[in-house]
């Protein structure tokens, strides 16, 4: 079944998403999410991602840029691009998205489809993330195609796999014909920041259980503390220590939802030595206590 439920985003030490999307036979999965209830934290994956905002307004951040995406607007996120999605408002913010491997459209790397259309797209730094506001006809067509892909996966009528592949091929062709002229190639500094961020995220993911300081995080990328702060603020809009807190709470939430371990033990394993600080931080980031989160995750209704 192509339509999937989006659960917690599990990542490796470099922030790369571990979960596959679709199946090896049909590498595409579609999602319908209210990100007001479950935000999409910083991560990246080898697949391409397309989404349309159904209701509300989303803040999509990718490669150091933030996009305020309104209802009816769409987004394309290229393979390997570090990104996250959050709600801009207190009201529900629902997304329809599809994540697919480029081989579904391009076939093998020896094909003309891959070499003529996919490869130029995958390695184009100007198209790391595209926001379709609908200001131009091709942007409207792109958003409409995203919606059609999602709807075809939902209906799963006989032969829908052909239709989905055709629609995704059409989407890639739209991008191939309409490379944004106003976009400038990222500077060497921006590209360097992106690599540094991935190294520092790798370090944080591997050491979040222990003591983490600004000096240690900066050292993992061989930069000064000031440069580390600048890089984090530029690329993901937070300080390194704020990000560490987010990682620890994300890991704690995963354990609360998937195990019956004592809450205090989970907090300690995720780097919180004091239960009171763990509960306070968890409430700040998740809007409820660890116990209430576990209760809700178990399927109990409030």
């Amino acid at each position: 079944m192509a339509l999937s439920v989006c659960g917690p985003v599990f990542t490796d030490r470099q922030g790369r998403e571990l979960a596959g999307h679709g199946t090896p036979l049909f590498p595409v999965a579609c999602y319908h999410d209210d990100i007001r209830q479950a935000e999409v934290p910083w991560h990246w994956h080898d697949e391409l991602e397309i989404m349309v905002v159904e209701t509300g307004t989303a803040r999509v951040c990718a490669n150091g840029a933030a996009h305020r995406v309104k209802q009816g607007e769409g987004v394309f996120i290229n393979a390997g691009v570090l990104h996250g999605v959050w709600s801009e408002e207190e009201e529900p913010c629902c997304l329809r998205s599809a994540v697919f491997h480029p081989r579904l459209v391009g076939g093998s790397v020896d094909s003309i489809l891959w070499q003529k259309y996919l490869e130029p797209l995958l390695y184009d730094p100007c198209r790391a993330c595209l926001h379709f506001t609908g200001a131009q006809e091709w942007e409207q067509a792109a958003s409409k195609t995203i919606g059609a892909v999602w709807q075809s996966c939902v209906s799963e009528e006989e032969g829908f796999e052909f239709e989905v592949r055709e629609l995704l091929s059409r989407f890639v062709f739209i991008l191939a014909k309409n490379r944004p002229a106003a976009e400038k190639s990222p500077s060497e500094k921006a590209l360097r920041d992106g690599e540094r961020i991935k190294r520092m995220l790798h370090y944080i993911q591997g050491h979040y259980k222990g003591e983490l300081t600004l000096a240690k995080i900066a050292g993992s990328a061989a930069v000064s503390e000031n440069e580390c702060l600048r890089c984090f603020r530029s690329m993901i809009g937070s300080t390194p220590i704020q990000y560490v807190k987010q990682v620890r709470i994300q890991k704690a939430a995963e354990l609360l939802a998937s195990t019956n371990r004592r809450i205090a033990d989970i907090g300690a394993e995720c780097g919180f030595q004091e239960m009171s600080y763990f509960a306070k931080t968890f409430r700040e980031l998740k809007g409820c206590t660890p116990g209430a989160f576990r209760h809700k995750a178990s399927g109990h209704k409030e």
Side-chain angles (χ1 to χ4, degrees):
M1 183 175 182
L3 184 62
S4 307
V5 177
C6 185
V9 176
F10 296 90
T11 61
D12 66 12
R13 292 182 176 183
Q14 292 179 295
R16 180 181 182 180
E17 188 173 6
L18 295 174
H21 298 279
T23 68
L25 293 176
F26 192 52
V28 57
C30 290
Y31 303 93
H32 188 216
D33 306 300
D34 180 357
I35 56 171
R36 185 72 186 95
Q37 300 298 321
E39 63 185 27
V40 181
W42 290 101
H43 70 290
W44 61 277
H45 40 68
D46 293 329
E47 294 87 357
L48 307 172
E49 183 167 357
I50 52 179
M51 66 181 75
V52 168
V53 175
E54 182 182 24
T55 59
T57 302
R59 178 167 57 93
V60 180
C61 299
N63 271 17
H67 304 270
R68 192 169 187 269
V69 187
K70 301 177 182 178
Q71 181 176 336
E73 296 178 352
V75 174
F76 164 75
I77 299 172
N78 215 330
V81 173
L82 188 68
H83 62 283
V85 186
W86 297 267
S87 176
E88 279 272 288
E89 305 166 343
E90 294 298 323
E91 300 299 320
C93 181
C94 295
L95 303 180
R96 293 181 174 183
S97 60
V99 184
F100 65 99
H101 198 282
R103 72 171 180 271
L104 181 63
V105 174
S108 74
V109 295
D110 297 325
S111 74
I112 186 65
L113 297 175
W114 185 280
Q115 295 181 9
K116 186 174 181 179
Y117 301 105
L118 265 299
E119 189 169 325
L121 173 63
L122 293 171
Y123 296 103
D124 186 351
C126 291
R127 290 184 285 185
C129 178
L130 298 177
H131 176 192
F132 309 123
T133 63
Q136 302 182 60
E137 287 188 13
W138 74 268
E139 293 183 347
Q140 296 173 21
S143 294
K144 185 177 179 180
T145 303
I146 296 171
V149 168
W150 190 90
Q151 191 58 53
S152 182
C153 286
V154 173
S155 63
E156 286 196 314
E157 296 180 0
E158 185 176 5
F160 83 98
E161 296 93 342
F162 284 109
E163 183 176 22
V164 169
R165 186 176 64 174
E166 178 186 350
L167 289 167
L168 290 174
S169 298
R170 185 184 306 166
F171 179 84
V172 169
F173 183 58
I174 289 172
L175 296 189
K177 288 201 308 179
N178 298 278
R179 187 178 189 274
E183 293 287 343
K184 295 182 179 179
S185 296
S187 65
E188 289 186 12
K189 184 176 182 181
L191 294 174
R192 185 174 64 247
D193 284 352
E195 291 306 310
R196 285 174 172 174
I197 277 289
K198 285 188 176 181
R199 288 201 297 271
M200 289 187 280
L201 295 188
H202 174 95
Y203 181 80
I204 291 171
Q205 290 284 344
H207 297 81
Y208 70 90
K209 296 181 180 181
E211 182 184 1
L212 276 175
T213 64
L214 178 60
K216 289 181 178 179
I217 296 170
S220 70
V223 298
S224 68
E225 294 183 20
N226 284 339
E227 183 65 11
C228 174
L229 283 167
R230 185 202 63 76
C231 192
F232 263 82
R233 286 171 175 153
S234 172
M235 295 299 295
I236 66 177
S238 75
T239 68
I241 300 306
Q242 287 171 338
Y243 180 78
V244 169
K245 287 168 60 175
Q246 292 169 2
V247 168
R248 287 172 169 166
I249 292 301
Q250 179 190 351
K251 299 295 184 181
E254 292 167 4
L255 291 173
L256 287 167
S258 61
T259 74
N260 292 319
R261 297 176 56 187
R262 294 176 62 244
I263 292 176
D265 292 342
I266 289 175
E269 178 170 333
C270 294
F272 296 95
Q273 300 307 314
E274 297 181 6
M275 180 62 192
S276 59
Y277 181 59
F278 172 48
K280 177 184 177 183
T281 306
F282 197 97
R283 182 186 287 275
E284 287 176 354
L285 296 182
K286 293 294 184 181
C288 63
T289 65
F293 180 88
R294 168 174 275 173
H295 184 76
K296 187 174 181 180
S298 68
H300 296 286
K301 294 182 179 180
E302 299 295 334

